[in-house]
């Protein structure tokens, strides 16, 4: 019996959790840290914010968000991999950030009330869900009016030469790196497949709009190999001041 995408992804991340952080640095040449830092700067998360990090994995972005929201804020990270969450919990404990909570949950059915969060983020996780549009709708649902959703993800470069090099790297070299550094050729072969199948930044912009978001802005990084989408839920909450 063939596996569903959700089952396959769950199996992959339950398997590679112990090497996940190291492999992110190897695969992206540590550029993912720079992409996340620049995205955080653009978000300008206010002190005291209520934040949700979807598909949080081992909680690196969740921790950055927790530091930005401060002691008066609250940050929740959700993921469907117990092993990834356990790694994240160890990091949070070391950082001594009690305002951060991690919870096992499915991104396509978030266990939160409507209009709960000021910010909802998803970093390098949207490409792995079974239905991109459903997740965007869920992110929209749990955001407060005036709140901001941010997606940081790999992206197909528009320049045809960079596109070709990028495709060759992900198709042939990344699975080999996975085998060399993590002993996981098949798992990293899957990750390149999910990257190749992911919508380009223009289609993803349309999908944000279809979910109800407005003021959608896109910032490309590293010659278009990654992109951050910033989108706002229409309306405003009295007394709130979510920075652009």
């Amino acid at each position: 019996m063939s596996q569903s995408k959700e089952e396959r992804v769950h199996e992959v991340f339950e398997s590679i959790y112990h090497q996940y952080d190291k492999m992110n640095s190897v695969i992206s040449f540590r550029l993912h840290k720079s992409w996340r830092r620049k995205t955080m700067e653009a978000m300008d998360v206010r002190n005291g914010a209520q934040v949700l990090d979807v598909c949080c994995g081992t909680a690196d972005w969740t921790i950055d968000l927790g530091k930005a929201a401060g002691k008066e804020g609250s940050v929740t990270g959700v993921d469907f991999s117990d092993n990834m969450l356990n790694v994240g919990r160890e990091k949070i404990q070391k950082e001594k950030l009690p305002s951060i909570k991690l919870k096992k949950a499915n991104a396509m059915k978030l266990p939160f009330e409507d209009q709960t969060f000021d910010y909802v983020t998803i970093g390098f996780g949207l490409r792995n869900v079974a239905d991109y549009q459903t997740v965007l709708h869920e992110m929209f649902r749990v955001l407060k009016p005036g709140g901001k959703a941010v997606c940081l993800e790999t992206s197909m470069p528009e320049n045809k030469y960079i596109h070709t090099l990028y495709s060759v790297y992900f198709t042939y070299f990344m699975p080999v790196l996975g085998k060399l550094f993590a002993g996981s050729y098949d798992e990293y072969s899957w990750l390149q497949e999910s990257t190749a199948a992911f919508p380009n930044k223009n289609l993803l912009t349309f999908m944000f709009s279809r979910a109800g978001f407005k003021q959608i802005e896109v910032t490309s990084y590293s010659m278009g190999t990654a992109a951050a989408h910033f989108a706002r839920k229409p309306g405003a909450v009295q007394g709130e001041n979510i920075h652009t």
Side-chain angles (χ1 to χ4, degrees):
M1 182 180 295
S2 61
Q3 289 179 305
S4 68
K5 180 178 180 179
E6 185 172 332
E7 291 169 336
R8 176 58 174 148
V9 170
H10 184 264
E11 181 181 272
V12 166
F13 285 102
E14 287 288 81
S15 173
I16 66 173
Y17 70 95
H18 56 297
Q19 297 288 352
Y20 179 77
D21 291 333
K22 180 176 76 174
M23 283 305 301
N24 275 350
S25 293
V26 170
I27 289 169
S28 74
F29 305 101
R30 297 182 64 86
L31 288 172
H32 71 293
K33 296 179 182 291
S34 172
W35 301 335
R36 189 168 63 240
R37 185 186 70 252
K38 291 176 181 177
T39 301
M40 284 290 294
E41 290 172 356
M43 288 176 65
D44 191 21
V45 177
R46 63 176 176 79
N47 188 63
Q50 307 296 303
V51 187
L52 174 65
D53 188 22
V54 180
C55 298
C56 68
T58 58
D60 279 351
W61 198 359
T62 321
I63 289 170
D64 288 345
L65 292 163
K67 292 177 179 177
K71 294 181 180 180
E72 300 301 316
S74 175
V75 177
T76 303
V78 297
D79 201 279
F80 72 166
S81 168
D82 286 311
N83 288 337
M84 298 283 277
L85 289 171
N86 287 335
V87 174
R89 291 188 180 103
E90 291 177 4
K91 293 179 184 178
I92 291 166
Q93 188 173 12
K94 287 181 180 179
E95 293 279 355
K96 298 180 179 179
L97 294 168
S99 64
I100 298 177
K101 306 298 182 186
L102 299 185
K103 181 182 182 70
K104 185 176 182 180
N106 191 315
M108 296 192 296
K109 193 175 182 180
L110 295 172
F112 305 103
E113 297 292 328
D114 296 357
Q115 303 181 17
T116 299
F117 300 98
D118 299 309
Y119 301 87
V120 179
T121 62
I122 184 166
F124 307 109
L126 188 59
R127 70 179 184 268
N128 292 314
V129 303
D131 189 315
Y132 312 130
Q133 194 70 62
T134 296
V135 174
L136 293 177
H137 278 291
E138 278 292 276
M139 292 170 67
F140 183 89
R141 179 183 66 79
V142 301
L143 265 178
K144 297 176 183 178
K148 182 180 287 186
V150 182
C151 173
L152 176 60
E153 190 54 90
T154 54
S155 185
M156 280 293 176
E158 294 179 334
N159 180 287
K160 65 179 182 179
Y161 301 108
I162 302 299
H163 185 135
T164 299
L165 289 172
Y166 180 85
S167 297
V168 168
Y169 172 70
F170 265 85
T171 302
Y172 299 104
F173 288 93
M174 192 178 76
V176 173
L177 290 174
K179 177 64 175 178
L180 290 175
F181 289 93
S184 304
Y185 183 94
D186 289 341
E187 284 79 1
Y188 282 91
S189 179
W190 157 255
L191 291 180
Q192 66 84 13
E193 291 172 21
S194 67
T195 299
F198 192 67
N200 64 32
K201 65 181 183 181
N202 296 322
L203 178 54
L204 187 56
T205 298
F206 171 77
M207 295 176 74
F208 265 95
S209 178
R210 187 178 177 188
F213 289 101
K214 304 295 183 183
Q215 298 175 247
I216 305 163
E217 299 179 359
V218 185
T219 300
S220 293
Y221 302 125
S222 302
M223 297 180 288
T225 57
H229 284 68
F230 304 87
R232 194 176 297 280
K233 184 171 183 174
V237 178
Q238 187 174 1
E240 295 287 353
N241 180 24
I242 307 299
H243 296 282
T244 302

